[in-house]
Amino acid sequence: MMLEPNRHMPFAGRPQPDPEAEVVPGVRWGRPEWVPSAAFWADMVSRACEQSDGFVNHDGSLQEEVGFCLLGGYGITAEVNHAVHDRLLEEGLFVPGRRPSEREIETLLLQPVRLHGRPVRYRFPHQRARRLSVALRMIEDDPPPTGEALAFRRHLMRIPGIGPKTASWIARNWLGSDEVAILDIHIIRAGVLMGLFDRSMRLPRDYETLERRFLEFCGALGARPSLLDAVMWRAMRNIGRGPV
């Protein structure tokens, strides 16, 4: 039996369906206490505050957003990402028109940041300094179109070092778009565990296929993708890494 999707009201706000019913093909509803079932995620979304969980940048520049997303990602904790980004922001490296050199960025990335009272070094100062310098120059010379999220993402993916996940992250935060999904290791893990994603699929090769599946799941739950992937990211990160 397939559940009837409702794009306006999350399942958590309605009578609980049969745990064996399918939300989308291959994904059972389950129960809220089953981690990480569809029912669990619907319950988590119903408790979330959209304003704080949506990760939409209403005030900063595109340069700031590109900097934040390029400095983060694989191997960089959220805490280090924020601390390093704040340092570059305070130094004015993201002011539109600034065009900082690779050396300027690298000098700042080589300096430790303090977290919880101890110095922490950024893991990829040379690589990210080079990528960030090029990216900031390219968006100055050829700004991405902002009228449509997928075109915006495709434009960003021409920049060296920006793949579909990073480009989606920038599109989400800058445009506030629900047409894209930020699929990192935490979201993929959750999707594999509940049967949403096939174990054979890989990033970045299968990004668009996985994204379509995730957006279908969001539609069936009646949950905004920008909220659900943020909730999933935080929950799976807190649960810790386990076998997939």
Side-chain angles (χ1 to χ4, degrees):
M1 178 181 68
M2 283 290 296
L3 295 176
E4 184 68 27
N6 186 324
R7 296 181 181 279
H8 304 291
M9 183 178 180
F11 275 122
R14 293 184 268 154
Q16 291 291 304
D18 181 340
E20 296 301 315
E22 287 190 325
V23 183
V24 294
V27 180
R28 293 186 305 160
W29 173 249
R31 299 184 186 278
E33 62 270 23
W34 295 355
V35 182
S37 66
F40 171 81
W41 294 121
D43 183 64
M44 291 287 286
V45 166
S46 73
R47 299 168 187 271
C49 171
E50 293 199 27
Q51 186 173 358
S52 63
D53 282 320
F55 294 141
V56 176
N57 183 352
H58 294 291
D59 303 314
S61 66
L62 177 58
Q63 286 81 354
E64 289 176 39
E65 200 55 55
V66 168
F68 182 79
C69 296
L70 265 180
L71 289 168
Y74 178 76
I76 306 296
T77 67
E79 293 80 9
V80 170
N81 188 7
H82 279 282
V84 171
H85 181 263
D86 286 348
R87 169 175 287 165
L88 270 61
L89 182 63
E90 290 169 3
E91 293 292 330
L93 267 64
F94 300 128
V95 172
R98 171 73 183 269
R99 298 172 184 262
S101 68
E102 179 181 338
R103 183 182 293 274
E104 287 180 276
I105 299 171
E106 184 181 68
T107 298
L108 292 171
L109 294 184
L110 285 169
Q111 299 173 16
V113 293
R114 294 198 69 82
L115 290 175
H116 311 297
R118 64 185 183 88
V120 177
R121 291 190 175 277
Y122 185 73
R123 286 189 64 184
F124 311 113
H126 311 296
Q127 179 205 70
R128 300 298 169 85
R130 181 170 59 254
R131 289 182 178 178
L132 185 51
S133 177
V134 171
L136 293 175
R137 185 173 68 251
M138 288 182 71
I139 63 172
E140 288 281 353
D141 293 341
D142 187 16
T146 58
E148 200 272 315
L150 296 180
F152 182 88
R153 180 171 72 180
R154 285 193 299 271
H155 194 95
L156 289 176
M157 286 173 61
R158 300 186 305 172
I159 299 173
I162 294 187
K165 190 208 83 170
T166 301
S168 299
W169 194 5
I170 297 167
R172 162 67 50 73
N173 290 8
W174 180 247
L175 301 178
S177 173
D178 279 312
E179 296 179 53
V180 299
I182 308 168
L183 303 180
D184 74 348
I185 187 172
H186 301 296
I187 310 300
I188 297 300
R189 233 178 95 223
V192 168
L193 289 171
M194 66 175 155
L196 181 66
F197 300 145
D198 190 290
R199 291 175 183 269
S200 66
M201 291 189 173
R202 294 290 181 268
L203 296 176
R205 182 191 68 193
D206 300 310
Y207 197 96
E208 291 187 3
T209 300
L210 292 164
E211 181 179 58
R212 285 193 296 271
R213 182 79 164 152
F214 181 80
L215 295 177
E216 179 188 10
F217 179 65
C218 292
L221 258 62
R224 288 179 55 213
S226 56
L227 181 60
L228 182 58
D229 64 21
V231 167
M232 276 188 168
W233 178 84
R234 186 178 61 243
M236 295 305 291
R237 181 171 179 258
N238 290 339
I239 288 169
R241 184 171 179 80
V244 174

